[in-house]
Amino acid sequence: MEWVKPEEIERRSMEAIEQEMPKGDWTLKERAVVKRCIHASADFDYAANLYFSPGAVEQALEALKQGASIVTDTNMAAAGINKRALGKLGGEVHCYMAHEDVAREAAQRGVTRALVSMERAAGLKGPVLFAIGNAPTALLRLEEMVREGAVAPALIIGAPVGFVNVVESKERICRLAVPCIVARGRKGGSSIAAAICNGLLYQAV
C-alpha cells in the first residue's frame, strides 16, 4: 500500500467520481456541488436526488461574494464548512443550537432547539444561507417564516437525514419561491449540508 499525500487523495477521488458520474442535466456549477456531496459520502445516489431550484447556485454564489452568513442546525455541519474560504468573502458561520438561552426557550415552549435557532437567525443582517442537515423542524419553521415574510433566505440547503417529517419538510422547501438546494428523500446529514456549502464556497473564492 502506498502512502498518498492529502492533495493527491482528493485529486484521485475527484477523478474517480468524474469517471462514474452520470451525464445528468446540471450546469457546470451545479455539477461541482453534486461532486462534493459524492466526495463527502461515497454515495452516487446524490447524483439523482439533489434538487436545485432554477438559478439557486448562481444566486448563492452572489450572496457569498457579498459576505453572506451561513446558519447551520448542528455544530457538526458548522465544523465541516471551510471557514477560511468563507472568511475571505467576509462571511461567518452561526450555529445557535448549543446556546443556553436557546435551550431554555425551547424547553419553555415545548419546541425543538432547531426551531428556536431559526428564529434567532432571522435577526441576522445581510444575506443568509441556511444549511440544514439534521432537523426537519428547522426546515418547517423556515418555511413558515418565509411565508410570513419574517425571513428572506439567500439560499436554503435542505438535507436532514432520517424518517420523521424528513421527506415532507424537504418537499415543502422545494415548493417555496426561494433559492434552494435539497437532498430529496431520506438521505442527507450534517456532512452533506457542509459539503454543499463547500461546493459553493470553492467556486466563490
Side-chain angles (χ1 to χ4, degrees):
M1 183 183 72
E2 63 173 322
W3 291 101
V4 184
K5 293 181 179 179
E7 60 271 19
E8 182 68 7
I9 292 173
E10 177 160 342
R11 185 186 68 78
R12 291 190 193 179
S13 296
M14 286 301 184
E15 286 180 355
I17 291 168
E18 188 63 40
Q19 289 173 3
E20 294 187 44
M21 281 275 283
K23 288 186 178 179
D25 59 354
W26 310 285
T27 66
L28 288 176
K29 290 181 172 65
E30 290 170 349
R31 186 181 180 88
V33 175
V34 175
K35 287 174 68 175
R36 276 289 152 195
C37 291
I38 295 171
H39 183 258
S41 63
D43 188 344
F44 279 86
D45 282 356
Y46 288 103
N49 69 14
L50 213 60
Y51 167 77
F52 297 86
S53 66
V57 171
E58 289 76 12
Q59 292 172 75
L61 293 177
E62 184 59 33
L64 287 169
K65 291 173 183 178
Q66 294 175 9
S69 299
I70 298 178
V71 173
T72 70
D73 66 328
T74 65
N75 286 314
M76 185 180 296
I81 294 170
N82 190 319
K83 297 173 191 63
R84 180 178 297 178
L86 183 60
K88 287 181 180 178
L89 298 166
E92 295 182 346
V93 177
H94 301 273
C95 182
Y96 301 97
M97 293 292 287
H99 290 202
E100 289 185 6
D101 58 334
V102 168
R104 185 165 52 250
E105 181 177 340
Q108 290 171 347
R109 293 169 56 187
V111 298
T112 67
R113 286 181 294 163
L115 183 152
V116 177
S117 292
M118 295 304 103
E119 294 174 349
R120 294 293 171 88
L124 289 171
K125 304 298 183 185
V128 180
L129 282 66
F130 290 85
I132 310 304
N134 183 68
T137 53
L139 289 184
L140 293 172
R141 185 63 184 122
L142 275 175
E143 184 214 16
E144 289 178 346
M145 290 194 297
V146 168
R147 294 192 185 281
E148 294 164 358
V151 66
L155 178 75
I156 297 177
I157 295 169
V161 60
F163 300 93
V164 180
N165 286 334
V166 169
V167 174
E168 297 86 347
S169 65
K170 292 175 180 180
E171 291 304 314
R172 288 191 181 191
I173 295 302
C174 291
R175 291 193 292 268
L176 285 177
V178 168
C180 69
I181 301 174
V182 175
R184 281 178 145 155
R186 294 173 172 175
K187 291 187 177 183
S190 296
S191 62
I192 295 300
I196 293 171
C197 290
N198 290 336
L200 296 169
L201 283 167
Y202 298 151
Q203 296 184 73
V205 291

